[in-house]
């Protein structure tokens, strides 16, 4: 699974910008602490379509579950097409808390596009 | 002669100046008015030309056929992220596509089909003997440049009607849309207002035309006699080509949708500006 994050730290906060977050935390949901690794968001450098590029990246990483803030319409299309289930966590949650909340089924699924962060840095 | 009319932002009276200057030129020269402000063209509202020609501006975008092997090359090559290759398909995002054609070149399986969608329109008509051309970007579309280029090629490159004077009403701001519409002007007229914002935007416009190496002059709109813009022009050695007094009559004429030339004071003012331009910039007959 993947979480959009601002810092390479499990106690860091969830970054609510999917396409423009600095890193993704990738892990196996069975053992978050043991398998967590951080990857740079390759979409950060792009001038447009960051959500699309980030969605492609998750597909390449074979991610099945995504925790982020919200998804713009284009990002949502890519994420859905690649069969990823997306969940929304508030930006006040730490990464570890968000994964635990997901495991207990308390995070809402993202089924509709929120505000796109187009062009934001 | 090609005159580009510019302003740092909208609402400074740029279109008023461009339309009235074009009307003034039309009295003495074979003239065309071109509205390059394709996101918000409003010169036709004042000129009310009889539209004779309407041409759609298409944009190509890809459609992925079932020959696709999911190799991912097209999505890697698209710098606008208009394509995404995920699991079992390639997704197309037409509104991000710039129609560059790269994807169909890189696909080795002939799976990229080119489709067209209407991006905008070019309209051409006449107000008396003044030829009027405008570009209109369709609502919801973001790519202004292809529509600007379509106006340019219809009115300026393929024209065989030998216009002596072209007045180009350029979009506000300093984006690539402005550059595409103002470049190759003999002179750029920068329209501004005597306010701190006006001065700020004027400085941006001056930087742009200097970078493009264009001759330029300022038209001061809503002139209240203050020194602000005059001092700046003096210090920067930029000629003040015309000053349009602040006058309630302008707002009235403007809100009625009438060109200012209906009023003899403005007719004189724009005739002066026209004659000054004719003295400064030689008018060439375009044979072809
Ligand atoms: S390059 Fe052609 S074959 Fe490869 S993914 Fe794109 S459309 Fe499919
Ligand atoms: S035509 Fe160009 S911009 Fe459009 S999808 Fe293909 S590569 Fe991308």
């Amino acid at each position: 699974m993947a979480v959009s994050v601002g810092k390479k730290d499990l106690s860091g906060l969830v970054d609510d910008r999917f396409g423009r977050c600095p890193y993704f935390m990738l892990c196996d949901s069975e053992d978050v602490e043991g398998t967590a690794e951080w990857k740079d968001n390759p979409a950060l450098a792009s001038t447009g379509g960051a959500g699309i590029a980030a969605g492609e990246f998750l597909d390449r990483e074979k991610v099945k579950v995504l925790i982020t803030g919200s998804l713009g319409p284009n990002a949502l299309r890519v994420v859905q097409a690649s069969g990823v289930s997306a969940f929304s966590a508030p930006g006040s949650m730490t990464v570890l808390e968000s994964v635990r909340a997901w495991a207990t089924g308390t995070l809402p699924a993202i089924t509709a596009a929120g505000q796109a962060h187009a062009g934001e840095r | 002669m090609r005159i580009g009319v510019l302003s740092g932002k909208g609402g400074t009276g740029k279109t008023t100046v461009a339309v009235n200057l074009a009307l003034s030129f039309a009295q003495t020269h074979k003239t065309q008015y071109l509205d390059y402000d394709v996101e918000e063209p409003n010169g036709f509202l004042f000129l009310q030309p009889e539209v004779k020609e309407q041409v759609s501006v298409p944009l190509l975008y890809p459609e992925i056929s079932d020959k696709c092997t999911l190799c991912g090359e097209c999505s890697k090559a698209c710098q606008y992220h208009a394509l995404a290759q995920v699991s079992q398909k390639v997704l197309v995002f037409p509104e991000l596509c710039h129609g560059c054609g790269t994807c169909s070149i890189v696909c080795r399986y002939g799976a990229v089909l080119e489709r067209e969608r209407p991006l905008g329109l070019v309209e051409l008509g006449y107000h008396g003997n003044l030829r009027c051309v405008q570009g209109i970007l369709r609502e919801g579309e973001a790519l202004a440049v292809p529509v600007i280029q379509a106006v340019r090629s219809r009115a300026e490159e393929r024209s065989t009607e030998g216009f002596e004077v072209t007045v180009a009403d350029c979009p506000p701001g300093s984006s690539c849309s402005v550059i595409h519409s103002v470049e190759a002007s003999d002179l750029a007229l920068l329209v501004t207002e005597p306010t701190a914002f006006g001065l700020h935007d004027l400085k941006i416009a001056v930087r742009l035309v200097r970078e493009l190496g264009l001759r330029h002059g300022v038209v001061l709109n809503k002139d209240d006699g203050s020194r602000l813009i005059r001092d700046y022009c003096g210090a920067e050695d930029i000629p003040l080509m015309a000053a349009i007094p602040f006058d309630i009559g302008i707002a009235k004429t403007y809100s009625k949708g009438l060109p200012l030339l209906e009023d003899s004071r403005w007719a004189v003012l724009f005739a002066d500006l026209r004659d000054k331009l004719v003295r400064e910039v030689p008018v060439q007959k375009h044979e072809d």
Side-chain angles (χ1 to χ4, degrees), chain A residues 27-98:
Chain A
C27 67
D28 183 334
S29 59
E30 303 291 308
D31 176 15
V32 181
E33 274 137 318
T35 59
E37 52 173 338
W38 283 266
K39 297 229 169 158
D40 291 344
N41 175 6
L44 209 54
S46 58
T47 50
I52 296 172
E56 273 188 296
F57 167 72
L58 296 189
D59 186 80
R60 281 198 299 279
E61 296 289 335
K62 311 253 182 299
V63 166
K64 287 287 156 247
V65 173
L66 165 69
I67 298 174
T68 185
S70 59
L71 293 173
N74 293 341
L76 184 68
R77 229 183 107 196
V78 177
V79 165
Q80 287 179 337
S82 73
V84 171
S85 315
F87 296 86
S88 176
S92 57
M93 248 183 201
T94 68
V95 175
L96 201 55
E97 283 166 356
S98 75

Side-chain angles (χ1 to χ4, degrees), chain B residues 63-83:
Chain B
E63 191 179 288
I64 310 300
S65 80
D66 49 19
K67 287 193 199 155
C68 174
T69 63
L70 296 169
C71 73
E73 287 304 320
C74 55
S75 133
K76 241 184 273 163
C78 177
Q79 54 173 311
Y80 304 103
H81 296 296
L83 296 169

Side-chain angles (χ1 to χ4, degrees), chain B residues 60-62 74 77-80 82-83 96-104:
Chain B
L60 293 176
Y61 68 95
C74 55
C78 177
Q79 54 173 311
Y80 304 103
L83 296 169
L96 295 181
C97 171
H98 281 51
C100 69
T102 304
C103 49
S104 70

Side-chain angles (χ1 to χ4, degrees), chain B residues 232-268:
Chain B
Y232 169 75
C233 289
E236 293 288 325
D237 205 15
I238 301 168
L240 182 63
M241 303 294 289
I244 305 173
F246 181 77
D247 183 295
I248 191 74
I250 286 198
K252 258 197 217 143
T253 320
Y254 195 80
S255 63
K256 273 193 250 154
L258 296 172
L260 296 179
L261 295 193
E262 303 273 316
D263 183 325
S264 63
R265 287 174 300 166
W266 310 123
V268 169

